[in-house]
C-alpha cells in the first residue's frame, strides 16, 4: 500500500533547534540555531518510513515569537497546500512548545475537523543527548498518517501521548512529559506497536470549520487580565487604552477577580468591551452564575484564559452580542 501523503510544516521551536553543545538544554534559544523543515527532515530520515512527506516552509523561530498573524498565515498555508495537492491526507506542524497549545486551538477552530493536523514540539534540541525531538516527530507523523485520525481535527502529540487541541496545555518547563490535558486526559497514545485512540472519532457532521478566516489578516485585540491578591484595575485600564475589543479575566477560582479589578472590568463592560470570565487555576469550569449574567459577562467554562482569548477574538469578528458569544463558549 502506498504511504499516505502528509504535509510537514516547519514553524521552528526546540524540535527544530540545534544547540551549540550536545548537553545544552538551557541556553540554546539564544546561542543555538533554528533549522528549516528541509534541514530537520535531512537529520530525521526515519520519518520517511511512515509517510510520503511534503515539506512546507513557514518560520524558523522560537514559539514565543508566534502570534495571531502567524496563525492566520499558517491556516492559509494549510488550506493552500490542500487546494494544490488534494492527495495530502493530513499535516504535521513542527512548533515550539511555548505557544503550541494556542496555535493548535486556533487551527482547531478554523480548519475542518475532517483534516488531521498534529502539532508537535520537543523539550530538548534535536542534537542534544536524549533529545525527544526525533521520537516526538516520528509519533506525530504516525498519528497524522493513521486512518483512525480522520475526523479528530487538530491534535497535540508529545511524549507518546495524543491530546485534543482544546485540552492540551504545557505544564512543565523542563520535563519531557510537559503536556497534559488536566482532568480530561489524553485522547490516545502513540504506542510502539500502533496508534491507539481511547474512543472512536465522532463522524464529522460538516466540512465547514467553526470559524471561516479565509482572507483575514488580523484579529480583534483581546487581552488577558491575570488576578493576584490585591491587584487593582491598572492592567484593565491599560488594555482598554490600547484598544482591546475584549478582555479575558483570568481570575481567582471559581471566577472572581479582585475588587478593584472587578470594578474596572465592570466599567469596561459598560463601555462596550466584551468581558469573558475564566479562572487562573487550570482545572474546572467557570459556571454561568447569576452575577455574570447580570453584568453581561461571558462564562469561559473550562477553557483556559489563553484559549478563551482566541475564541473571543474569533467570535468578535462575527458579533458583539453577548448571548451569541456565550453560545460559542458553550459549544467550542
Ligand atoms: N521551546 C521554546 C519554543 O517555544 C523555546 C525555544 C526557543 O525559543 O528557541 O520554541
Amino acid at each position: 500500500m502506498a504511504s499516505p501523503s502528509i504535509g510537514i510544516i516547519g514553524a521552528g521551536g526546540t524540535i527544530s533547534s540545534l544547540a551549540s553543545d550536545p548537553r545544552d538544554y538551557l541556553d540554546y534559544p539564544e546561542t543555538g540555531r533554528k533549522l528549516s523543515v528541509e534541514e530537520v527532515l535531512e537529520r530525521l530520515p526515519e520519518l520517511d518510513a511512515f509517510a510520503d512527506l511534503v515539506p512546507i516552509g513557514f518560520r524558523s523561530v522560537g514559539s514565543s515569537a508566534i502570534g495571531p498573524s502567524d496563525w492566520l498565515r499558517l491556516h492559509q498555508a494549510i488550506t493552500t497546500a490542500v487546494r494544490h495537492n488534494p492527495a495530502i491526507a493530513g499535516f504535521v506542524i513542527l512548533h515550539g512548545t511555548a505557544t503550541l497549545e494556542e496555535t493548535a486551538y486556533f487551527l482547531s477552530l478554523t480548519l475542518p475537523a475532517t483534516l488531521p493536523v498534529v502539532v508537535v514540539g520537543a523539550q530538548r534540541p534535536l542534537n542534544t543527548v536524549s533529545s525527544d525531538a526525533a521520537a516526538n516527530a516520528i509519533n506525530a507523523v504516525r498519528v497524522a498518517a493513521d486512518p483512525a485520525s480522520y475526523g479528530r481535527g487538530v491534535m497535540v502529540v508529545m511524549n507518546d501521548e495524543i491530546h485534543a487541541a482544546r485540552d492540551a496545555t504545557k505544564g512543565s518547563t523542563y520535563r519531557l512529559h510537559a503536556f497534559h490535558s488536566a482532568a480530561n486526559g489524553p485522547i490516545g497514545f502513540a504506542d510502539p506497536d500502533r496508534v491507539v485512540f481511547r474512543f472512536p472519532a465522532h463522524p464529522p457532521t460538516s466540512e465547514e470549520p467553526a470559524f471561516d478566516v479565509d482572507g483575514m489578516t488580523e484579529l480583534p485585540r483581546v487581552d488577558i487580565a491575570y488576578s493576584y491578591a490585591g491587584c487593582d484595575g491598572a492592567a484593565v485600564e491599560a488594555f482598554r487604552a490600547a484598544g482591546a475589543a475584549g478582555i479575558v479575566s483570568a481570575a481567582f477560582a471559581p471566577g472572581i477577580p479582585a475588587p478593584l479589578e472587578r470594578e474596572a472590568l465592570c466599567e469596561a463592560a459598560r463601555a462596550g468591551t466584551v468581558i469573558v470570565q475564566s479562572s487562573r487555576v487550570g482545572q474546572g469550569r467557570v459556571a454561568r452564575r447569576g452575577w455574570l449574567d447580570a453584568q453581561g459577562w461571558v462564562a469561559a467554562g473550562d477553557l483556559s484564559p489563553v484559549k478563551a482569548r482566541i475564541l473571543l477574538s474569533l467570535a468578535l469578528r462575527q458579533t458583539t452580542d453577548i448571548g451569541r458569544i456565550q453560545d460559542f463558549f458553550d459549544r467550542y
Side-chain angles (χ1 to χ4, degrees):
M1 208 174 86
S3 289
S5 187
I6 298 293
I8 181 159
I9 303 179
T14 304
I15 196 165
S16 310
S17 290
L18 281 191
S20 52
D21 180 297
R23 293 160 306 174
D24 177 20
Y25 307 115
L26 187 64
D27 291 316
Y28 66 93
E30 287 83 26
T31 58
R33 182 164 87 77
K34 298 275 183 298
L35 303 180
S36 67
V37 64
E38 288 85 3
E39 289 174 308
V40 173
L41 291 180
E42 262 168 46
R43 284 174 174 263
L44 299 178
E46 302 84 3
L47 294 179
D48 290 332
F50 305 98
D52 172 16
L53 294 171
V54 181
I56 300 167
F58 183 65
R59 287 190 78 186
S60 295
V61 292
S63 74
S64 45
I66 298 274
S69 61
D70 295 296
W71 300 333
L72 290 164
R73 289 196 306 111
L74 199 46
H75 174 274
Q76 199 185 343
I78 291 173
T79 50
T80 305
V82 170
R83 213 173 304 125
H84 290 160
N85 188 350
I88 293 183
F91 288 85
V92 166
I93 304 173
L94 307 173
H95 198 291
T97 52
T99 56
L100 190 150
E101 69 208 59
E102 291 168 66
T103 297
Y105 184 58
F106 173 84
L107 292 175
S108 78
L109 293 172
T110 54
L111 289 170
T114 42
L115 184 69
V117 176
V118 176
V119 195
V120 61
Q123 287 287 82
R124 296 174 179 170
L126 196 49
N127 62 335
T128 52
V129 176
S130 288
S131 170
D132 53 337
N136 288 349
I138 289 171
N139 283 339
V141 173
R142 289 173 62 213
V143 171
D146 196 290
S149 290
Y150 179 82
R152 294 183 197 267
V154 183
M155 294 168 274
V156 172
V157 168
M158 288 285 290
N159 206 37
D160 298 347
E161 293 182 347
I162 310 168
H163 296 271
R166 187 185 187 284
D167 298 330
T169 192
K170 186 174 182 182
S172 175
T173 48
Y174 290 115
R175 298 294 81 79
L176 297 187
H177 193 189
F179 280 72
H180 64 81
S181 286
N184 296 328
I187 58 168
F189 304 93
D191 272 344
D193 59 335
R194 67 186 180 92
V195 170
V196 189
F197 285 101
R198 290 177 41 237
F199 42 80
H202 303 297
T205 47
S206 156
E207 285 278 337
E208 292 305 311
F211 293 91
D212 178 5
V213 294
D214 256 358
M216 269 184 211
T217 52
E218 57 181 30
L219 293 173
R221 179 177 179 126
V222 174
D223 290 292
I224 300 173
Y226 191 96
S227 298
Y228 47 90
C231 79
D232 61 18
V236 171
E237 281 153 23
F239 294 146
R240 284 181 64 192
I247 298 175
V248 173
S249 157
F252 306 118
I256 304 174
L260 293 176
E261 186 191 21
R262 180 147 118 167
E263 236 173 80
L265 287 164
C266 287
E267 179 85 39
R270 281 193 293 273
T273 312
V274 177
I275 310 297
V276 171
Q277 185 63 74
S278 69
S279 114
R280 66 177 199 175
V281 298
Q283 290 214 46
R285 293 174 57 242
V286 169
R288 229 178 123 176
R289 60 187 206 280
W291 189 88
L292 293 180
D293 267 348
Q295 300 302 314
W297 293 15
V298 174
D302 67 353
L303 209 51
S304 68
V306 292
K307 291 181 183 171
R309 176 226 176 194
I310 292 168
L311 180 54
L312 178 56
S313 191
L314 286 166
L316 283 168
R317 282 297 301 233
Q318 292 193 9
T319 184
T320 51
D321 180 81
I322 299 299
R324 281 190 63 204
I325 295 174
Q326 182 66 63
D327 283 348
F328 288 134
F329 275 82
D330 292 344
R331 220 154 76 223
Y332 304 119

